[in-house]
Amino acid sequence: MSILVAIIGLSILVIFHEFGHFLAAKLCGVGVLEFSVGMGPRLFSHVWHNTRYSLKLLPFGGSCAMLGEDAAGSGDFETASGTEMSDDELDPWIDYDGVRFRKSALKDRSFNEKSAPRRFFICVAGVLNNFILAFLMAAVLVGFTGFDRLYVVGVQEDAPIAVAGLEKGDQVTGIGYTGKHISNMPSYRDLYIWLYVHAREFTSDTELTIRYVRDGETKTLSTKPYYSTENQKYMLGISFYGGRILPGNALEFLQDTWYEFRYNVSMVVQSLRMLAAGQVKRQEVMGPVGAVSVMGETVQESSQYGIFNAFLVLLELLVMLSANLGVMNLLPIPALDGGRLLFILCEMIFRKRLYPELEGKINAVGMAALFALMVVIMGNDIINLVTGAYEEILNG
């Protein structure tokens, strides 16, 4: 049951992404041939307002196939071809499996014939939808559970910070160190990621700058990192309240929602940087199969504390995954939205368009490469599931 919930949750994110393309296409006058929920063979479909709406066999995501879109972007990975109906020799209907356009209207309704700004809007709309969904889900999460602001609850007695003046109840809002600007630190999770990335660079000579709020007044202090002999690494020497606190007013609610959303986006960006720098192990790379497994296991574990608790845990995961889907689709990779946006952006800058046929071939090659990568990632997921790598991450 928990696995099914995870699959439905992931599918909702993809459908919402495709719905963004759908709405933008309709607004820009592009013909939408089919909007599908699920993938594979159709279980049910109906043509309404000259668009086919389909429910398909496999409950994974969905697609939005537009008139004049190349094979890689059609959703079903094939270029739609219409059949001419000879009821009017001068201006016949062109039938696309029940969706029909007059031959004279094809150019005006085609995605590839639209202006660069309109194509850009249609391509970016899916990503915007994922970010909007992540923000809305973050708002619900913060409304029910609050946000993990960085409130000091104690200071290590033998740490340099002990004489720097930080007190219990102070709210840390930013940290920087020698040669680095102060990074905003709204949450305990932001601090955890920041330390994971930067603490390895700390030495006894590192100068830390900490920004904090006390009684509504923002202050800064300078200190040295604390070397923990027990943990064999440099630390701040500060204990923080790691739980969530409900916002006290509407402004705090909006701030915390934004911080929750921003944290999830920044975590994806940081993960990509670490992956590029070789700081991520193979066991830590997770694809769709791994995500469904981990989500299912997490929801099942949390359900012992009640259905509502399981819902909040699932919601927290979906905020992260929706942000992940948005960021990943912005990567300038052919066949992804980011690759298409790059082509269109170059067209807008240089006022010259790449040949649509060549662009389609590049996207098709990109799609083939993505399929190959998906096979590799799926194989990695299966290995991690068999060896229990993901279970170690959950327990660890």
Side-chain angles (χ1 to χ4, degrees):
M1 183 63 181
S2 57
I3 295 295
L4 179 60
V5 170
I7 291 174
I8 292 173
L10 283 172
S11 295
I12 288 172
L13 302 185
V14 178
I15 292 167
F16 209 75
H17 176 96
E18 295 299 331
F19 190 61
H21 293 312
F22 171 84
L23 287 178
K26 289 287 188 180
L27 284 172
C28 292
V30 172
V32 179
L33 302 179
E34 183 176 30
F35 182 80
S36 304
V37 174
M39 304 293 285
R42 293 172 185 155
L43 294 177
F44 169 81
S45 71
H46 178 70
V47 176
W48 184 65
H49 284 209
N50 213 31
T51 295
R52 181 175 293 278
Y53 297 88
S54 301
L55 178 65
K56 297 189 173 182
L57 178 64
L58 301 175
F60 302 106
S63 63
C64 175
M66 292 176 278
L67 182 68
E69 193 176 22
D70 63 57
S74 67
D76 284 324
F77 316 116
E78 58 183 24
T79 302
S81 57
T83 303
E84 186 172 312
M85 303 178 69
S86 57
D87 66 325
D88 185 339
E89 293 183 1
L90 294 177
D91 192 13
W93 287 101
I94 308 299
D95 181 79
Y96 295 86
D97 194 19
V99 177
R100 299 175 182 178
F101 300 92
R102 288 291 187 183
K103 191 172 185 178
S104 61
L106 290 182
K107 186 174 182 179
D108 183 59
R109 303 298 301 278
S110 173
F111 170 80
N112 272 327
E113 297 296 333
K114 292 296 180 181
S115 65
R118 290 195 175 195
R119 282 183 281 120
F120 190 94
F121 173 59
I122 292 170
C123 287
V124 81
V127 171
L128 291 177
N129 248 26
N130 278 124
F131 287 151
I132 290 169
L133 181 61
F135 186 86
L136 293 176
M137 290 190 297
V140 176
L141 187 66
V142 168
F144 281 114
T145 67
F147 186 72
D148 51 332
R149 289 175 178 259
L150 271 176
Y151 286 104
V152 177
V153 295
V155 177
Q156 186 74 26
E157 291 183 0
D158 56 340
I161 191 69
V163 295
L166 205 63
E167 298 177 0
K168 182 179 179 180
D170 290 342
Q171 182 190 348
V172 173
T173 60
I175 301 178
Y177 65 102
T178 311
K180 302 285 185 179
H181 68 280
I182 295 179
S183 298
N184 290 325
M185 211 67 58
S187 76
Y188 185 83
R189 289 164 296 163
D190 284 295
L191 175 66
Y192 180 86
I193 297 296
W194 188 87
L195 287 174
Y196 181 84
V197 174
H198 297 288
R200 66 192 70 186
E201 300 175 17
F202 291 176
T203 67
S204 58
D205 295 324
T206 299
E207 189 76 21
L208 291 170
T209 302
I210 298 178
R211 186 180 67 217
Y212 63 99
V213 176
R214 179 186 298 168
D215 299 327
E217 184 182 351
T218 300
K219 302 179 179 182
T220 59
L221 60 81
S222 295
T223 186
K224 299 282 187 181
Y226 160 68
Y227 186 78
S228 170
T229 54
E230 180 182 350
N231 296 293
Q232 296 292 301
K233 63 180 180 180
Y234 282 98
M235 306 173 70
L236 296 178
I238 309 171
S239 298
F240 294 97
Y241 177 70
R244 289 175 174 262
I245 300 173
L246 288 171
N249 52 54
L251 180 59
E252 276 192 10
F253 170 73
L254 290 175
Q255 287 178 333
D256 290 350
T257 298
W258 166 251
Y259 290 145
E260 184 73 33
F261 167 75
R262 196 190 71 168
Y263 164 76
N264 283 278
V265 173
S266 64
M267 188 172 68
V268 179
V269 175
Q270 281 285 5
S271 298
L272 289 172
R273 287 176 181 169
M274 293 169 65
L275 187 63
Q279 297 175 333
V280 178
K281 299 177 183 178
R282 178 194 63 78
Q283 293 89 339
E284 296 172 331
V285 177
M286 188 179 300
V289 174
V292 168
S293 175
V294 169
M295 283 178 67
E297 185 69 26
T298 305
V299 171
Q300 185 173 343
E301 287 291 323
S302 58
S303 63
Q304 62 182 309
Y305 302 105
I307 298 298
F308 187 64
N309 184 75
F311 164 74
L312 292 175
V313 170
L314 177 63
L315 192 64
E316 187 173 10
L317 290 170
L318 290 177
V319 172
M320 182 267 291
L321 290 170
S322 190
N324 188 299
L325 188 58
V327 173
M328 295 301 289
N329 266 281
L330 281 177
L331 295 178
I333 299 172
L336 290 182
D337 291 334
R340 293 168 179 273
L341 290 171
L342 181 62
F343 285 135
I344 299 171
L345 194 59
C346 289
E347 177 187 344
M348 293 167 70
I349 293 172
F350 298 109
R351 299 188 180 279
K352 185 177 181 180
R353 185 176 183 180
L354 188 68
Y355 291 112
E357 295 80 7
L358 178 58
E359 183 180 336
K361 289 179 181 178
I362 293 174
N363 284 328
V365 171
M367 182 59 71
L370 281 176
F371 267 124
L373 180 62
M374 285 173 63
V375 171
V376 172
I377 292 176
M378 188 176 295
N380 183 66
D381 280 347
I382 293 171
I383 292 172
N384 287 342
L385 289 172
V386 171
T387 59
Y390 291 147
E391 191 173 338
E392 289 180 14
I393 292 174
L394 283 172
N395 296 330

